[in-house]
Amino acid sequence: MKIQNNSPVRVRFAPSPTGHLHIGSLRTALFNWLFARHYKGAFLIRIEDTDFVRSTKEYEASLMESLKWSGIVTDDLVMHQSARLDIYKKVADDLVSAGKAYKCFCTQEELQKKRERAEAAGKNYQYDRTCRKFEHSVDHEGKPYVIRFKVVIDTPEFIFEDKIKGAVSIPSEQIDDYVILRSDGTVTYNFAVVIDDQEMQITHIIRGEEHLFNTPKQILLYQALGHSIPIFAHIPLILGPSGQKLSKRDGATSVVEYKKEGYLSSALCNYLVRLGWAHGDQEIFSQEEMIEYFSLDHIHASGAKFDIEKLKWVNASYIKKLTVEEILNIIKNDLEKDLKAITSDWTDVQRAACIALYQDRVATLKELYDYILKVYFLPVAYDWENLKKLIAKDAVIILQLLQQEFGNLEFEKNKIQEKVKAFCKLNDYKMSDITQLLRFAMIGAVSGPSVFEMMAILGKQEVQKRISMVIAEM
Ligand code: GLU
């Protein structure tokens, strides 16, 4: 696609390195990346690190790592705002010289008083343009100053078109002469973003809707600088269960937390792309499909509720499709657990069989990992409560008899099963009671996957050991 001025699509993701990547930001990055891939354009990354107090290199590394983990890579060098302070200063000075911005000498105390007065009168505080009247050559005997942009709008409402929200109208009186350069020489977001997006030749600005009210300020700057205005698309918020913006109170919000919990990057992206965007009622998409179908036209205008149960469902369906090698690798890379080394007494066949035993039953790889360890290691605790509901009085004798039965049995899943079946028939026990008892002996819990499979994986010696162990506890 070419936009009006015939330039190919160029989009960007512009995180501030003041924390780990939020899942909402990952969705924004993903929408941008898919849009670029769909239109065979460019996807760029810009680090907005001008808040020198809160920005850190560690968070930047973490953001980049999370993006890479999600398969989102930039098509060009990463731009850093911190390296561009001289450029912003020059543009600000030029705007002052052109009479489109001005030096403001009002002190913090003066402004604070004005703000308090406005609030006491129940009004929204707006800068009262006191310093607009000064010639730009005035320097007020070296007093510190900020540079403010001169906002000129001659209609009561400022209206702009948003690809997702439609026509957005903001009362002009709410847009005041905002600061573009602070007295310490640092730049404000609304100023730097315009200069950078222009320099990077960004055609579409796809970002979170919290920036909707910044957009008029940015459009006015584009106009003042004589630049063409990109297309804006503001993505609705991700909401928590209460209907408010998703926050830490609602659970994990950063991508690293999901990674450590054993969510697959492909599943997380699949879940996030459906959060606010739809292609019919399809839920599971390959990356190729996402790229092919993605467009801004099918993004909903209102907020999308985060649903952890659905994310689990998507993750589970991706886990089902993995090979054993893939599972081991992801657990090693994402969970930083070397399952092969931890279960080193097992053969590859035992390990693969144990993975297969649980693979279709788990929502995350962390769950899978925990289950495998439960089988591999001797039980550390037994769920007596649930056992008692089943089979309290005969448990010891049953286990002793079964232990004898297993004595010279060829220890293969079907053979074990037949043996237990015959034992139940002969002694009039319910098969399900006995399998639960055996499972209890193996892993300390009555419920779980096929106990015959589990016993075959563990091998006769280990099974006998676990039966003796639980008998000793009874
Ligand atoms: N640094 C801003 C943020 O993280 C970027 C906003 C934008 O994309 O313009 O919200």
Side-chain angles (χ1 to χ4, degrees):
M1 177 171 103
K2 305 257 184 182
I3 57 163
Q4 299 98 320
N5 57 5
N6 246 6
S7 37
V9 160
R10 283 173 73 83
V11 291
R12 81 327 186 248
F13 174 59
S16 306
T18 53
H20 297 294
L21 188 66
H22 189 280
I23 48 169
S25 304
L26 174 57
R27 186 185 61 156
T28 303
L30 187 63
F31 281 4
N32 275 286
W33 185 81
L34 289 173
F35 188 74
R37 291 288 85 91
H38 180 91
Y39 291 110
K40 303 196 170 26
F43 168 83
L44 309 170
I45 294 176
R46 179 173 70 233
I47 301 292
E48 304 212 321
D49 53 354
T50 52
D51 180 340
F52 296 113
V53 180
R54 292 171 61 231
S55 302
T56 69
K57 279 286 166 199
E58 287 72 27
Y59 281 136
E60 179 183 332
S62 166
L63 290 173
M64 295 303 288
E65 180 55 39
S66 290
L67 289 172
K68 195 169 139 212
W69 178 75
S70 312
I72 298 175
V73 283
T74 176
D75 294 323
D76 204 341
L77 292 177
V78 174
M79 179 187 267
H80 286 82
Q81 288 191 326
S82 56
R84 295 170 49 76
L85 299 182
D86 291 348
I87 297 169
Y88 306 133
K89 166 111 182 65
K90 162 121 191 14
V91 180
D93 287 343
D94 289 350
L95 283 171
V96 173
S97 305
K100 294 177 177 177
Y102 59 92
K103 295 175 186 171
C104 168
F105 298 91
C106 297
T107 63
Q108 286 299 335
E109 294 71 39
E110 286 163 352
L111 295 175
Q112 184 57 27
K113 269 193 207 128
K114 287 178 186 176
R115 177 170 290 124
E116 282 164 12
R117 237 176 282 144
E119 277 164 13
K123 286 193 196 141
N124 240 343
Y125 168 74
Q126 301 286 347
Y127 176 62
D128 62 6
R129 301 176 172 179
T130 306
C131 293
R132 248 201 201 196
K133 57 182 179 282
F134 300 128
E135 285 296 317
H136 63 80
S137 51
V138 176
D139 78 351
H140 285 245
E141 293 141 9
K143 258 180 90 180
Y145 62 85
V146 299
I147 297 182
R148 287 183 186 272
F149 180 65
K150 204 182 264 181
V151 170
V152 183
I153 314 172
D154 46 20
T155 48
E157 292 282 320
F158 186 94
I159 300 171
F160 66 94
E161 196 54 33
D162 185 90
K163 263 306 243 177
I164 296 169
K165 303 273 170 190
V168 179
S169 176
I170 292 174
S172 304
E173 58 173 29
Q174 288 180 13
I175 308 166
D176 68 353
D177 287 358
Y178 61 98
V179 174
I180 56 177
L181 213 68
R182 301 189 188 91
S183 53
D184 61 3
T186 56
V187 67
T188 59
Y189 157 72
N190 276 316
F191 186 49
V193 75
V194 171
I195 299 169
D196 295 342
D197 283 337
Q198 199 277 327
E199 176 150 338
M200 292 162 90
Q201 299 174 354
I202 300 303
T203 56
H204 295 70
I205 294 185
I206 306 168
R207 63 183 172 198
E209 84 177 4
E210 63 272 26
H211 291 293
L212 201 59
F213 288 95
N214 287 321
T215 307
K217 294 180 177 175
Q218 296 174 15
I219 291 176
L220 290 165
L221 250 171
Y222 279 105
Q223 289 166 340
L225 293 166
H227 300 324
S228 59
I229 299 166
I231 291 168
F232 289 95
H234 286 91
I235 313 169
L237 293 176
I238 297 183
L239 307 174
S242 60
Q244 301 292 316
K245 185 178 173 183
L246 183 73
S247 78
K248 284 213 166 69
R249 269 174 292 124
D250 302 315
T253 50
S254 71
V255 174
V256 278
E257 288 170 279
Y258 285 93
K259 176 178 165 186
K260 288 224 153 20
E261 272 302 305
Y263 288 89
L264 308 179
S265 55
S266 47
L268 186 60
C269 288
N270 190 144
Y271 173 71
L272 288 175
V273 81
R274 277 286 290 108
L275 206 55
W277 172 82
H279 179 74
D281 49 16
Q282 186 170 338
E283 291 292 355
I284 303 293
F285 296 86
S286 66
Q287 193 173 74
E288 294 71 38
E289 285 175 321
M290 284 187 210
I291 293 172
E292 186 185 336
Y293 303 147
F294 188 78
S295 86
L296 296 177
D297 301 331
H298 294 105
I299 295 180
H300 310 308
S302 54
K305 251 197 190 149
F306 184 75
D307 178 355
I308 188 74
E309 292 310 318
K310 184 162 169 205
L311 171 58
K312 284 184 179 170
W313 175 80
V314 174
N315 205 45
S317 64
Y318 272 79
I319 288 176
K320 287 191 179 93
K321 290 186 262 182
L322 295 177
T323 64
V324 169
E325 253 342 277
E326 285 168 333
I327 289 178
L328 290 172
N329 279 337
I330 301 173
I331 290 181
K332 193 165 179 181
N333 294 332
D334 293 358
L335 274 58
E336 295 170 20
K337 309 274 190 213
D338 190 345
L339 200 51
K340 222 168 164 164
I342 297 171
T343 58
S344 59
D345 288 349
W346 272 354
T347 62
D348 288 346
V349 175
Q350 280 175 298
R351 197 174 301 109
C354 193
I355 289 174
L357 195 57
Y358 284 98
Q359 186 170 1
D360 286 355
R361 308 170 70 96
V362 295
T364 68
L365 287 185
K366 169 88 169 53
E367 260 179 58
L368 182 60
Y369 169 80
D370 288 342
Y371 276 131
I372 289 166
L373 294 199
K374 275 214 168 104
V375 178
Y376 182 77
F377 291 111
L378 296 173
V380 282
Y382 292 97
D383 178 9
W384 295 107
E385 273 310 299
N386 275 314
L387 183 77
K388 276 186 199 132
K389 287 185 203 151
L390 274 180
I391 198 157
K393 53 184 191 330
D394 298 339
V396 172
I397 188 85
I398 293 170
L399 287 170
Q400 281 167 342
L401 288 171
L402 283 169
Q403 212 169 16
Q404 283 168 22
E405 296 279 340
F406 295 150
N408 36 29
L409 183 71
E410 188 195 331
F411 225 59
E412 186 267 326
K413 180 190 160 196
N414 290 331
K415 298 244 160 56
I416 308 170
Q417 185 165 2
E418 276 163 31
K419 189 54 109 190
V420 174
K421 214 171 176 178
F423 172 85
C424 288
K425 206 162 170 207
L426 190 69
N427 298 290
D428 205 19
Y429 286 123
K430 252 170 65 194
M431 180 78 165
S432 63
D433 285 357
I434 303 305
T435 55
Q436 293 186 72
L437 175 61
L438 279 169
R439 201 179 286 113
F440 179 82
M442 296 304 112
I443 57 171
V446 293
S447 57
S450 161
V451 73
F452 305 119
E453 187 79 58
M454 200 184 280
M455 288 162 74
I457 293 169
L458 288 170
K460 194 192 296 183
Q461 211 186 342
E462 180 72 15
V463 167
Q464 297 284 36
K465 181 168 152 192
R466 292 189 187 198
I467 292 178
S468 299
M469 214 176 108
V470 79
I471 289 174
E473 300 269 333
M474 282 176 162

